[in-house]
Amino acid sequence: MSALYVHIPFCDHICTYCDFCKVFYNDEWANKYLEALKYEILNKSINTQFETIYIGGGTPSSLTDEQLETLLIMLEPYSRNVKEYSFEANPESLTFTKLLLLKQYGVTRISIGVQCFHDQILESIGRKHTTKQALTCLEDITRCGFNDINVDLMYGLPNQTLDHIIDDIDKISIYPISHISIYSLILEEHTQLKNKNYQPLTEEDDAHWYEIINKKLEDTGFHHYEVSNYYKTKPSFHNLKYWQYKDYEGIGLGSHSLRNGIRYENTKSLTKYLKNEYRESCEVITLNDQRFEYIMMGLRLIDGISIQDFNNRFEVNLLEEYKIPIQKNLQTHLLEIKDDQLKTTQLGLNYLNTILLDFIES
């Protein structure tokens, strides 16, 4: 096991587009949650030395200083020799004191949820920070000595234009940001924007915006390595574990684990979790589904899938097993093969779901 994900479900507010497993922050619940998290770790007898740890949410920075230190002490036995130790945060709750704590306990990477640098747009999606707070937060992260910094951005938001996005990227370029994740708004069921019948970008407009954003980021010095992710100095090693279909351990409310072809899912009920009833289900993934999931995750990467790795792992010939969908998409220039790698073309990135449907139906 090489990767550990830790879910902190608490948020100070709920954004209008969010469908993640989250609850409003409550001090008593947070304290009890940390105890339940400790129980899960001990009950699972987690004793692996992980290569990466990722604390996500929710909003992990919504924890108080004392609660954050409790969490970091709990994870200290697993974090001593990690290659990458990430922490998700929002600008309004990531204080300088918390940054010092994170630094003290070995966190190496901060991922900050900015989404955009325009106050009117931030307000329309339920974000509680301002542009000024976001910029101050980036200054504080840098001042604390973190040099592995990710900024989350979004496009296709209410009242947002392409000029807004270009301005966002220009603002980021002033700071030593090493990584950018940028996502098109997807309207999930039961989110506030979906309920308000907000109309997102059309598929054509989305592809046009994506092309311009991609060029702007590459012109600014960012390397495009996954559909929605770019880096200057290094990729997200933790997320690469998912995209390369490696095993990982997930702890906390609603988290998942993947071990030897079995997927384990934790409960999304806080009430159950606080009673130490963390396990919801486990599923043995069929060999065919494992192959498809490997392809589905791998084609998100710009470098694509190692044909040799696939063949060795599943003891089949990828090019023969999926001959029909591969040949079809090679002919339409949505896929290409280079140096033992099967990957999407630049055009194919816009039609990834269509490509994957061909693999499902093969």
Side-chain angles (χ1 to χ4, degrees), residues 1 15 24 72 95 100 111 136 146 166 203 206 241 244 261 289 295 302 320 340:
M1 195 73 63
C15 300
F24 280 112
L72 294 170
T95 63
L100 291 175
S111 180
T136 300
F146 290 97
I166 301 303
E203 189 173 302
D206 194 303
K241 304 289 186 187
Q244 292 170 348
D289 284 348
I295 292 167
I302 304 305
E320 288 299 323
D340 188 54

Side-chain angles (χ1 to χ4, degrees), residues 8-61:
I8 304 299
F10 301 104
C11 291
D12 293 317
H13 58 275
I14 305 299
C15 300
T16 59
Y17 55 85
C18 182
D19 74 331
F20 292 157
C21 187
K22 75 281 182 184
V23 292
F24 280 112
Y25 175 84
N26 175 288
D27 188 64
E28 181 183 355
W29 289 354
N31 286 327
K32 289 180 178 179
Y33 183 81
L34 292 173
E35 285 299 316
L37 202 62
K38 184 177 182 180
Y39 174 86
E40 183 181 355
I41 291 172
L42 294 174
N43 190 254
K44 283 182 171 178
S45 300
I46 295 175
N47 55 15
T48 304
Q49 181 58 57
F50 297 98
E51 291 182 7
T52 66
I53 296 176
Y54 194 106
I55 303 173
T59 310
S61 56

Side-chain angles (χ1 to χ4, degrees), residues 65-327:
D65 294 356
E66 293 76 19
Q67 289 163 347
L68 178 57
E69 187 162 24
T70 297
L71 174 65
L72 294 170
I73 290 171
M74 192 188 310
L75 297 176
E76 196 171 21
Y78 314 101
S79 66
R80 288 172 186 150
N81 299 305
V82 293
K83 189 177 182 181
E84 178 185 270
Y85 191 175
S86 301
F87 184 83
E88 270 187 3
N90 280 346
E92 71 274 16
S93 56
L94 186 60
T95 63
F96 200 77
T97 304
K98 289 175 186 176
L99 282 165
L100 291 175
L101 273 175
L102 295 169
K103 195 73 175 173
Q104 177 185 340
Y105 285 94
V107 171
T108 60
R109 183 175 185 268
I110 304 294
S111 180
I112 192 81
V114 173
Q115 315 316 346
C116 76
F117 289 96
H118 296 85
D119 290 344
Q120 185 180 359
I121 298 171
L122 287 168
E123 187 177 347
S124 73
I125 58 173
R127 301 295 285 183
K128 297 302 179 186
H129 70 268
T130 63
T131 297
K132 184 178 180 181
Q133 280 178 307
L135 295 174
T136 300
C137 187
L138 292 177
E139 290 169 6
D140 286 345
I141 295 169
T142 304
R143 196 152 53 96
C144 269
F146 290 97
N147 54 24
D148 194 356
I149 306 167
N150 173 67
V151 169
D152 281 347
L153 293 177
M154 294 181 71
Y155 67 95
L157 301 173
N159 303 313
Q160 189 182 41
T161 66
L162 256 175
D163 287 340
H164 286 131
I165 299 290
I166 301 303
D167 182 62
D168 289 343
I169 296 170
D170 286 337
K171 279 188 170 67
I172 284 175
S173 65
I174 299 170
Y175 298 89
I177 305 304
S178 57
H179 192 284
I180 288 178
S181 301
I182 184 161
Y183 304 99
S184 173
L185 174 66
I186 297 174
L187 287 185
E188 304 289 358
E189 293 297 329
H190 310 302
T191 59
Q192 293 180 47
L193 279 182
K194 178 73 171 181
N195 293 337
K196 290 178 180 177
N197 201 32
Y198 172 69
Q199 299 302 309
L201 295 175
T202 64
E203 189 173 302
E204 184 179 338
D205 284 342
D206 194 303
H208 175 61
W209 283 41
Y210 181 70
E211 182 181 358
I212 292 173
I213 290 166
N214 185 54
K215 185 175 188 313
K216 175 66 177 178
L217 283 167
E218 291 188 337
D219 289 346
T220 312
F222 284 91
H223 175 68
H224 192 193
Y225 76 103
E226 192 270 346
V227 172
S228 303
N229 287 273
Y230 303 75
Y231 72 84
K232 273 189 177 177
T233 54
K234 60 177 272 303
S236 166
F237 292 141
H238 182 85
N239 286 335
L240 275 174
K241 304 289 186 187
Y242 302 141
W243 297 322
Q244 292 170 348
Y245 205 54
K246 307 286 188 183
D247 282 1
Y248 60 90
E249 185 70 52
I251 59 173
L253 193 70
S255 66
H256 294 77
S257 303
L258 182 65
R259 287 185 241 122
N260 301 317
I262 302 175
R263 181 175 290 110
Y264 301 87
E265 182 178 352
N266 276 7
T267 180
K268 293 181 180 179
S269 164
L270 183 62
T271 303
K272 282 186 178 181
Y273 192 82
L274 294 184
K275 291 179 181 177
N276 295 328
E277 300 170 9
Y278 61 84
R279 177 62 48 74
E280 182 71 24
S281 65
C282 69
E283 171 198 5
V284 178
I285 309 169
T286 67
L287 198 55
N288 279 341
D289 284 348
Q290 287 183 52
R291 291 171 185 168
F292 174 73
E293 288 181 5
Y294 182 104
I295 292 167
M296 176 178 68
M297 300 305 286
L299 287 182
R300 294 187 62 87
L301 293 167
I302 304 305
D303 287 342
I305 297 165
S306 165
I307 296 170
Q308 189 63 51
D309 182 64
F310 184 96
N311 294 351
N312 291 340
R313 181 164 178 170
F314 297 110
E315 299 181 340
V316 294
N317 186 311
L318 172 66
L319 301 184
E320 288 299 323
E321 190 74 12
Y322 294 96
K323 183 175 182 178
I324 293 174
I326 289 174
Q327 287 301 320

Side-chain angles (χ1 to χ4, degrees), residues 330-348:
L330 287 174
Q331 289 169 8
T332 54
H333 306 292
L334 299 182
L335 288 177
E336 62 182 347
I337 296 174
K338 278 188 180 179
D339 302 324
D340 188 54
Q341 298 290 124
L342 175 69
K343 54 186 177 179
T344 56
T345 61
Q346 189 63 44
L347 175 64

